[in-house]
Amino acid sequence: MKRYVVLLLLSLQYSIYAQTLQSNEKPPVFPSCEGVGVEDLQTCFNNHIYKHIYNNFKVPQQVIDEKYKGEISVLFEVDSTGVFKVIYAEAMYDVLKAETKRVFSILPKIKPATYNGRPTYKQYAMAIKIPLVNQSESDGGTDISKSEISKRAQIVKAEYDSVSSNLVTYKNKRFSSQLNIPFTHSSYAQFDRNLNLVGTNSHTASKPFLFDEVSKYYDFNSEKHKLVKEANTWGGRKLWNEHLVQLQGKDYWFTIDPVFDLQVGKDTKVDYNSTYNNTRGVLIQGGFGEKFNFYTSVFESQGRFAQYVNNYAESLKAFGPDPAIIPGRGIAKRFKTDSYDYPVAEAYLSYTPAKFINIQFGHGKNFIGDGYRSLLLSDVASPRPFLKLNTKFWKIKYTNTWMWLKDVRPEVTEDGAFLTKYMATHYLSWNVSKRLNLGFFESVVWSNTNERGFDVNYLNPVIFYRAIEFETGQGAGNAILGASAKFKFNDNVNMYGQFILDEFSLNDIKAREKSWKNKYGYQLGIKYYNAFKVDNLMMQLEYNRIRPYAYSHNTIILNYGHNNQSMAHLWGANFSEWVLIGHYNYNRWFADAKFIFGKRGLDYNEGTNNFSYGGDIYRNYNDRPSDTGIKVGQGIKTKTFYGNLQAGYLINPSTNLKLFADITVRNFNPDVITNSTFKSDTVWFNLGLRTDLFNWYFDF
């Protein structure tokens, strides 16, 4: 029986990186194609596939006898070693699927495709028509015009998309979207140098960053491609390389992934058997069109931590029956007899109506600064509702953030409910030159007392909060001013700093009386990339110092805090500290080290010495023991040391799923022992599997 071959190659390529051959990538090369020009390599590759299928495909007798006319949809891959693999085959007859796999299995090993000169895998889609005809360009084939081929290709593509769109049509639009890059210090260290090269017009203080901001300086596709692990099965690809679900249409895309933080450890200084954390959740993210993106994550968690963490969590206890607030996560209820149950949800919508502005509304965290700590706005407290505008033009980036906070102490409850307060911030970043960046910050906290509600005065994105505070009454809000600076010495070294001003009295400074009114703090830091000529090693040294009573207020609710945690440095005020950090990564391996040396001043909280010495931002600063002689470390002088070493392996770059082990050593040594302040030594071992999406601070 005469066989007709209608062989239609969808020569459009659907790898997760590109649909068309670009200047920095080259298709797989058969030996006879090695002398062909780069622009003709794809055609040569296509022709060899046509010929091979035409010469080797044997239509099964069952198909011939039943006079079947149809097609086989095929997705195949040439992996990074040059081996052909059928990823997916769809046909009416199982014998056709089997024959398709056989034909591809006898293809010879060839030179793999390359991306930026590095071997990579490529995926192709085909529709094999039954009966067969020869369609290779070199052999002539049937007389079908190229426009007709293109038309048919689109039809077959649409049909195939409906069967397996997550395999064929998905391209990683996340890397060019207006979604936030999940903010973790270790992850951001990987592209921090790219953003801080001399002459780049980037703005690095307002975090988290958007993917489309950073992608101008850092090639996410290329870097992820370097980490691609060969996987022959669907399960292998999902485990090592891909999102669990990844779908894309003409005007939309989204991904769905499970979220885990499964840890088991041991606090060697306590009697109970082990520490643990058991977090399960789901993360959904995606986009509609080019301007609208969304992100949502839901976590259900139970945990028991090192004793100093448990003690701190219970010291943050909210009004009501719940025994603790897990620092950085939220209110927890009792689980069994010695553990906590703490659900958390974070989500936001991101909309970019014009290229110079991005608007986000959600429930999460924000951070302002170039250091490990921030004295302006930090991510140490629990997630909270926010509205944020990022405006960028010329050498300016202007960030406006409005937040809804909670004071959960029993003394400020309102009809048995937690009291709401509001916070608004302005931060203007200005690239003065190729090396120098300056930033200007202001914020104000006000409450819902006296039926004031959300004051529309603070919705103005360009007004000065101090002026509004003065007009509405100086006791109506708590305004703070700040500034930041960064100087790039070269591509590998930059210095940064912050200054925060809560209140200031020039006359008292001149009198050298160390007045309580001089409530300010500052930060100095330096970053060293490719340290000691070791690629991907970043070292960071930082010093932070904040005078007593900063961030506090004489109106009980107007402190700079949320859920009994600081919105700036997690130690509050009245301290100084040195922070030394190292980040290193090699392929999928990573290692982080952190050492903190600090001096703090704590309150006695008992007897006749129940004064505020300026460290607890939730206390009224009018409870101070004196107006003068105020210095950092007053009260119970406490020396602290915190060290953490962590190493691990990145299992899946798409989801940031990591396997890790770490050890924490902590020494807390006050010079006076009270019921609430006592010496503590901790050695805490941990082993875990974590989807790394946020910073979680245990260095209090």
Side-chain angles (χ1 to χ4, degrees):
M1 178 178 180
K2 184 178 179 180
R3 299 186 302 170
Y4 298 93
V5 179
V6 180
L7 191 58
L8 211 60
L9 174 66
L10 304 184
S11 55
L12 298 175
Q13 191 170 307
Y14 293 100
S15 72
I16 62 173
Y17 301 109
Q19 269 191 307
T20 58
L21 184 62
Q22 300 175 358
S23 60
N24 59 349
E25 64 180 349
K26 195 165 77 170
V29 180
F30 282 91
S32 60
C33 296
E34 291 185 6
V36 176
V38 174
E39 66 278 4
D40 297 321
L41 281 176
Q42 187 65 60
T43 300
C44 188
F45 174 83
N46 296 349
N47 286 337
H48 275 78
I49 300 297
Y50 296 149
K51 291 179 185 178
H52 177 81
I53 295 176
Y54 178 69
N55 293 330
N56 293 280
F57 196 97
K58 298 177 181 179
V59 179
Q61 190 62 44
Q62 176 190 358
V63 177
I64 297 173
D65 292 344
E66 296 184 11
K67 298 180 181 180
Y68 171 73
K69 293 183 179 181
E71 62 185 33
I72 309 165
S73 297
V74 186
L75 177 69
F76 70 92
E77 173 183 292
V78 184
D79 69 17
S80 59
T81 66
V83 174
F84 285 82
K85 299 176 182 178
V86 173
I87 297 173
Y88 183 87
E90 178 66 24
M92 178 177 289
Y93 298 89
D94 289 339
V95 288
L96 285 176
K97 298 179 188 178
E99 177 62 12
T100 300
K101 293 178 181 178
R102 184 195 69 81
V103 169
F104 276 89
S105 71
I106 62 176
L107 276 162
K109 184 177 180 179
I110 64 176
K111 286 186 176 180
T114 58
Y115 185 87
N116 285 338
R118 298 174 179 270
T120 183
Y121 70 89
K122 287 291 181 183
Q123 294 179 350
Y124 296 89
M126 295 182 68
I128 303 175
K129 294 283 187 176
I130 304 297
L132 301 167
V133 293
N134 189 349
Q135 188 60 36
S136 67
E137 293 184 13
S138 59
D139 286 349
T142 57
D143 185 18
I144 302 176
S145 68
K146 290 186 177 181
S147 62
E148 181 65 16
I149 291 175
S150 176
K151 179 179 178 181
R152 293 186 185 183
Q154 293 303 315
I155 294 173
V156 176
K157 171 184 177 298
E159 293 172 352
Y160 193 78
D161 289 351
S162 66
V163 176
S164 186
S165 60
N166 63 316
L167 289 174
V168 181
T169 66
Y170 180 74
K171 295 193 307 175
N172 206 328
K173 289 190 173 183
R174 178 172 174 245
F175 292 154
S176 58
S177 72
Q178 290 82 41
L179 284 175
N180 294 331
I181 304 172
F183 177 39
T184 68
H185 292 291
S186 58
S187 296
Y188 274 44
Q190 296 181 28
F191 51 76
D192 203 44
R193 180 179 183 273
N194 297 66
L195 297 178
N196 283 288
L197 297 175
V198 174
T200 56
N201 188 29
S202 62
H203 299 267
T204 58
S206 182
K207 299 178 176 75
F209 301 139
L210 302 181
F211 274 104
D212 72 340
E213 287 181 321
V214 179
S215 62
K216 299 173 185 176
Y217 309 100
Y218 182 81
D219 191 341
F220 287 101
N221 278 322
S222 177
E223 293 301 320
K224 182 184 175 184
H225 179 68
K226 296 175 185 177
L227 301 178
V228 169
K229 184 184 287 288
E230 185 175 342
N232 299 325
T233 65
W234 179 89
R237 292 194 306 275
K238 298 304 175 183
L239 173 64
W240 299 112
N241 300 318
E242 299 178 359
H243 298 281
L244 179 63
V245 177
Q246 46 189 37
L247 296 176
Q248 179 183 318
K250 181 180 179 181
D251 295 315
Y252 69 90
W253 68 272
F254 69 90
T255 66
I256 304 175
D257 291 293
V259 175
F260 302 104
D261 188 353
L262 310 175
Q263 301 182 34
V264 62
K266 175 64 177 175
D267 181 349
T268 62
K269 300 296 183 179
V270 296
D271 295 331
Y272 53 73
N273 291 329
S274 64
T275 64
Y276 74 92
N277 189 67
N278 178 20
T279 294
R280 300 86 57 214
V282 62
L283 187 157
I284 304 172
Q285 55 190 330
F288 296 99
E290 298 296 325
K291 298 181 178 181
F292 184 83
N293 295 100
F294 65 92
Y295 174 104
T296 182
S297 57
V298 180
F299 308 88
E300 175 60 34
S301 305
Q302 294 83 38
R304 178 176 62 234
F305 309 94
Q307 190 59 42
Y308 83 92
V309 179
N310 297 335
N311 291 340
Y312 182 67
E314 297 195 10
S315 75
L316 300 176
K317 181 185 183 307
F319 170 74
D322 298 314
I325 293 178
I326 304 302
R329 303 310 289 147
I331 294 176
K333 62 182 180 181
R334 181 67 66 193
F335 179 70
K336 296 184 177 179
T337 59
D338 57 0
S339 302
Y340 308 101
D341 188 318
Y342 57 102
V344 182
E346 298 186 54
Y348 64 89
L349 304 175
S350 180
Y351 177 58
T352 304
K355 66 179 182 179
F356 60 86
I357 189 169
N358 174 259
I359 305 169
Q360 290 190 3
F361 177 68
H363 186 86
K365 302 182 183 185
N366 293 280
F367 185 99
I368 295 178
D370 286 291
Y372 173 69
R373 309 289 199 191
S374 175
L375 311 187
L376 308 178
L377 177 65
S378 185
D379 61 340
V380 301
S382 307
R384 53 270 181 186
F386 70 90
L387 172 65
K388 181 167 69 172
L389 274 65
N390 269 317
T391 307
K392 187 176 179 181
F393 60 95
W394 186 53
K395 300 177 181 180
I396 298 292
K397 183 177 181 180
Y398 189 45
T399 302
N400 304 94
T401 311
W402 296 269
M403 288 161 279
W404 288 255
L405 311 179
K406 292 290 185 180
D407 196 316
V408 298
R409 295 171 293 166
E411 56 265 40
V412 295
T413 55
E414 189 174 49
D415 297 327
F418 301 141
L419 193 61
T420 299
K421 59 182 179 181
Y422 309 98
M423 181 175 176
T425 69
H426 295 162
Y427 180 73
L428 187 146
S429 173
W430 173 31
N431 286 326
V432 181
S433 71
K434 293 181 178 180
R435 297 179 184 270
L436 178 64
N437 172 273
L438 296 178
F440 305 94
F441 173 84
E442 64 171 344
S443 71
V444 64
V445 178
W446 73 100
S447 72
N448 197 28
T449 55
N450 300 323
E451 299 183 353
R452 185 182 183 192
F454 191 95
D455 194 330
V456 294
N457 286 296
Y458 296 120
L459 280 176
N460 191 325
V462 294
I463 205 164
F464 289 102
Y465 292 148
R466 280 289 186 183
I468 294 297
E469 182 197 22
F470 184 80
E471 288 181 2
T472 56
Q474 295 189 44
N478 182 11
I480 292 176
L481 299 177
S484 67
K486 179 178 64 179
F487 185 80
K488 307 171 188 177
F489 293 98
N490 53 51
D491 287 344
N492 287 330
V493 179
N494 68 61
M495 180 174 284
Y496 61 89
Q498 290 184 342
F499 180 78
I500 189 76
L501 181 62
D502 191 355
E503 191 171 347
F504 181 75
S505 173
L506 182 60
N507 290 333
D508 289 328
I509 285 286
K510 290 180 177 179
R512 297 184 179 180
E513 294 179 334
K514 296 182 179 178
S515 170
W516 74 276
K517 295 180 182 179
N518 294 316
K519 299 182 289 183
Y520 62 84
Y522 61 87
Q523 174 189 88
L524 293 173
I526 188 167
K527 292 181 180 179
Y528 182 18
Y529 308 107
N530 295 335
F532 311 111
K533 299 184 179 179
V534 177
D535 290 344
N536 303 318
L537 173 62
M538 190 191 92
M539 302 293 293
Q540 183 176 1
L541 178 65
E542 182 174 298
Y543 178 73
N544 297 293
R545 184 181 181 90
I546 301 180
R547 279 183 55 78
Y549 307 109
Y551 306 116
S552 60
H553 202 268
N554 61 355
T555 301
I556 192 169
I557 194 175
L558 296 183
N559 55 74
Y560 207 68
H562 165 62
N563 269 7
N564 289 343
Q565 302 155 87
S566 171
M567 289 293 289
H569 196 294
L570 80 171
W571 289 2
N574 191 18
F575 70 87
S576 62
E577 70 166 350
W578 286 95
V579 181
L580 176 62
I581 295 175
H583 298 290
Y584 177 73
N585 66 281
Y586 176 76
N587 294 332
R588 293 195 180 210
W589 296 96
F590 67 91
D592 299 299
K594 177 168 55 181
F595 303 97
I596 299 174
F597 306 85
K599 181 179 71 173
R600 306 169 64 176
L602 305 177
D603 295 343
Y604 289 86
N605 291 326
E606 59 186 30
T608 59
N609 197 2
N610 190 17
F611 295 108
S612 170
Y613 285 90
D616 185 355
I617 67 171
Y618 277 84
R619 292 198 63 172
N620 188 328
Y621 55 57
N622 287 333
D623 293 340
R624 61 188 178 274
S626 64
D627 290 345
T628 59
I630 304 300
K631 58 184 179 180
V632 172
Q634 68 177 16
I636 301 177
K637 294 180 176 61
T638 305
K639 293 181 180 179
T640 67
F641 168 77
Y642 177 91
N644 178 266
L645 298 176
Q646 183 177 119
Y649 184 77
L650 178 62
I651 295 175
N652 190 326
S654 293
T655 61
N656 215 22
L657 179 66
K658 297 177 178 180
L659 181 67
F660 71 94
D662 74 358
I663 178 173
T664 297
V665 178
R666 178 181 182 267
N667 177 263
F668 188 83
N669 189 17
D671 63 0
V672 176
I673 306 300
T674 69
N675 291 330
S676 58
T677 305
F678 45 87
K679 292 184 179 181
S680 173
D681 291 307
T682 301
V683 179
W684 184 18
F685 296 94
N686 252 323
L687 178 68
L689 178 71
R690 177 179 63 227
T691 306
D692 203 7
L693 300 175
F694 54 85
N695 293 310
W696 202 357
Y697 302 92
F698 294 112
D699 44 16
F700 31 77

